[in-house]
Amino acid sequence: MYKVTSAVFAGLLGLWSFSSTVLADGITGEVGAGISYQPQDPTGGRYETQAIPYFDLDWGSVSLGSDDGLTWSALNTNGITAGPFINYLPGRTANGSLRGLRDVSDMAEVGGFIQYAPAEFWRVYAQVGQAVGGAHDQGGVLGKVGGELGYPLGDGIIGSTGLMAHFADTRQTQTFFGVNDKESAASGIRAYNASAGFQNLTLTQSFEFPLANHWSLLTSASWTHLVGSAANSTIVKETGNVNQGQVQTAVSYKFD
């Protein structure tokens, strides 16, 4: 349940125009809207409540998801799917407790993924991408590995539990967690050079409750624990949190 920008939709329209198979298969999945209470940036010092869209749509081999962005399963065999993706990376406005640090531009992430899902209710996956469209010295390489297990709970209720680890190169970690000398002087936060490696572990618990024909209520709660260079950042130590939470809810409509 995250923002999807015009870059994602532009990519979707491009793939759509070149894929007659997509048009022939039609749309399946869910679409909806809701609200989220979440950190404003990865350091976790400030929280916000915002409206969010929800997408879990398939057009043949093309998918649009709130978490995974726009993906194309160029390979799809024996439960293994792989291909390119484009997703949205939210930036940061350096105000409040972060005043004096640099703003971080909203960016797009472009890369590839691989997933193994031999059954409907569980999967393991990995993806690696390049952040593009950022300001000078912002961006870098990032990715994630994880797994998700879904299970029916009766009366049409579906639960799912996911565990995911994010990693990034030095440039991407420095973008959000580093503080140069100029920023240190302006913000009062000690200078810090971030390094590559795993950034966090995220545990998510979600439920889907049927409301009426085609309609469902979606809820999720996530706990994120910063690790490595991200956890040691002076921004996190002075204004942020190593442990962060996120709560989301949405109402969705399911296409047959």
Side-chain angles (χ1 to χ4, degrees):
M1 299 182 185
Y2 296 100
K3 297 178 182 175
V4 179
T5 62
S6 57
V8 174
F9 283 112
L12 173 61
L13 293 174
L15 287 174
W16 198 350
S17 65
F18 284 103
S19 178
S20 59
T21 302
V22 168
L23 294 174
D25 288 348
I27 300 173
T28 61
E30 297 179 76
V31 62
I35 58 174
S36 175
Y37 180 68
Q38 62 191 42
Q40 288 185 338
D41 70 276
T43 60
R46 306 169 299 167
Y47 281 72
E48 64 181 356
T49 300
Q50 64 175 21
I52 54 170
Y54 173 74
F55 298 100
D56 185 10
L57 299 174
D58 296 307
W59 296 266
S61 60
V62 177
S63 300
L64 178 63
S66 300
D67 294 324
D68 298 325
L70 179 69
T71 63
W72 173 39
S73 297
L75 171 68
N76 189 345
T77 180
N78 297 321
I80 299 174
T81 54
F85 75 90
I86 180 172
N87 206 353
Y88 167 72
L89 292 176
R92 176 184 73 193
T93 300
N95 54 18
S97 60
L98 300 182
R99 188 175 303 278
L101 301 179
R102 64 189 178 280
D103 290 340
V104 177
S105 308
D106 290 348
M107 291 176 273
E109 179 187 3
V110 180
F113 76 94
I114 185 168
Q115 175 177 282
Y116 178 57
E120 181 180 359
F121 291 111
W122 72 275
R123 64 175 182 143
V124 292
Y125 58 88
Q127 70 174 50
V128 178
Q130 172 73 45
V132 297
H136 179 65
D137 290 334
Q138 296 180 6
V141 176
L142 67 162
K144 60 185 180 182
V145 293
E148 184 177 12
L149 175 65
Y151 36 86
L153 298 173
D155 296 325
I157 301 172
I158 302 295
S160 66
T161 304
L163 181 63
M164 178 172 55
H166 282 91
F167 58 90
D169 67 358
T170 298
R171 182 182 178 190
Q172 175 65 20
T173 307
Q174 182 73 12
T175 295
F176 284 100
F177 296 96
V179 182
N180 61 34
D181 292 337
K182 182 179 179 180
E183 292 169 324
S184 178
S187 66
I189 299 174
R190 289 182 294 112
Y192 179 75
N193 290 318
S195 58
F198 282 97
Q199 285 189 352
N200 66 58
L201 298 172
T202 298
L203 177 66
T204 301
Q205 180 63 53
S206 303
F207 296 97
E208 180 172 352
F209 301 91
L211 296 177
N213 190 28
H214 296 288
W215 292 95
S216 298
L217 173 67
L218 309 173
T219 64
S220 72
S222 299
W223 170 75
T224 296
H225 178 68
L226 299 181
V227 298
S229 183
N232 293 326
S233 168
T234 53
I235 305 175
V236 175
K237 290 182 179 296
E238 296 182 30
T239 69
N241 288 285
V242 171
N243 295 302
Q244 305 168 17
Q246 179 174 332
V247 181
Q248 300 174 327
T249 186
V251 173
S252 72
Y253 179 84
K254 180 177 292 186
F255 297 90
D256 288 331

